[in-house]
Amino acid sequence: MNINRLIKDLKNGNNPEENLSAYSQLLLASYERLTLGRFALDFTEKYDVLAKEEGGVADILQVVASVTRKIGNGQTDTLAQDLIRLDDMRGKVLENLDALEEYLHYFQLYEHIFNRLNYRFEDSLPLTDDAALARRLMGYITEKQDAETVNERIQAILGELPVRLTTTKFFELLENGCLCYTGARNDMADSFFARMEKCAALPLTQRLDSRKEDLFALAKEFEDISFNDMDKDECRERLSKISLAASMVARDLSNNVDLLEMINNLYILLITQPYAVTESKECKELRNILRSYMRAVDSGDFLDIDADILGGLAKTVEDQQKYLGEHMLLEDALDTIWTNNQQAIEGMMLGGIYKTLSTAQRLFMTNSRADISQIRPYYPVDREQVSGRIRKLEEIYGQSFKNASQIMKRSLISMALDNIPVPFDSLEKVEAYICQSLALCTEQYERAAVDGLLNDFIQAKVV
């Protein structure tokens, strides 16, 4: 079947009686094939790591494993109950991720501060050559030719430079960067601004989940801290505690992100299963892999995976690449097809199928946190909507700045510059900002800290 022709006909409203059914079956089959493959790869790779965890992670993994057995066996008799269980587990994972990201924000702000304060206690500080550092930074930025990498490197460097900005100038840069979301899809813009609003808030323990007792205890130690009265030993001790907190947050974030991806994939498989007319050869092989793997798990030998399973997983990687382009072509057309043919879809009683396809579309994005309780069509956000979100963001920053010390205010701005799209429209303006930031920094310890941090950053080639 010519997929391009089918999509074109549906967008133009041609022969919907035949084409709507054909399109929905193609997309359903594509979701099943790709999602089953993606899930099999994730589950067999990460199960043994997650199985060693305790508490909430272990409880959620048990539900995932239980549903996986049924997916492998093609069972549908408990579909409704399994969806309720997955909904519940997904809610818990999303709640965990929100809580952990609050901790991440909290400790990142203090890490930024203490990485600089630590240089205050050096016996001797190297003299910094601002011009030479600026040249090295620009060389690092322009070393790569693709725009994405260049922008990532600019963002990372802006987040480490000394901050010597008025609030007005910062808000100007904030607006320049955030306006890039004009024309972006609404869910992507919502996700970006939600993250930025979290980054704009002061690090307060009242915002943290006290049920995460170890992390909360570490966070409490930073309350009402006096940066000016700190000595060398206390500064080093604080950095050590931040490092400990970072490792704890990173592990928990990784576990919950892995669980979210598994749950999203299982959810897609459960909701598409009732509508799929035929099962592809690849899907049958993948279900067999899951059955074999679960038998190994139940017997306690899952660390010694059968060679047939490994061979099947290797083929799955190839299949994912082969079919993904076709899938994206089908999926990208879904919103337009649904909008243009809504009357025909309802008349043919295909509403349930198309709602299922829209739910799958939102869950198919890697680690999607989309709210699937009420599906609304995607749409591009206009400048007025983006400007409204920017004003709200400025209000949060304004309130934070009123109650922040100068050193904390600079840390908040640094984090913002590390997260917003590059607010400059030329490399010349980027270079001018770098030179100005270095020139206006009069604290020798901070100049030395920034020089050391950025040189380490360049040598490590983080981006």
Side-chain angles (χ1 to χ4, degrees), residues 39-65 68 93 96-97 100 250-263 266 293 297 302-303 367:
F39 177 76
L41 289 168
D42 278 350
F43 187 74
T44 54
E45 176 188 354
K46 297 166 183 173
Y47 178 88
D48 61 322
V49 175
L50 294 172
K52 297 172 185 173
E53 298 292 335
E54 298 178 353
V57 169
D59 295 339
I60 294 169
L61 185 64
Q62 282 187 3
V63 175
V64 169
T68 300
V93 169
N96 276 333
L97 288 171
L100 288 165
R251 187 192 70 193
D252 285 353
L253 274 173
S254 176
N255 289 340
N256 280 278
V257 166
D258 288 342
L259 286 169
L260 178 61
E261 182 73 355
M262 290 181 189
I263 291 169
L266 282 177
Y293 187 80
V297 167
F302 62 88
L303 292 178
N367 302 323

Side-chain angles (χ1 to χ4, degrees), residues 6-35:
L6 174 65
I7 291 172
K8 184 178 179 181
D9 282 345
L10 280 169
K11 286 183 175 180
N12 293 332
N14 298 334
N15 192 17
E17 293 79 8
E18 180 179 339
N19 289 335
L20 284 171
S21 294
Y23 170 82
S24 64
Q25 282 302 312
L26 279 173
L27 189 48
L28 281 166
S30 183
Y31 273 124
E32 184 179 35
R33 179 171 57 199
L34 284 173
T35 305

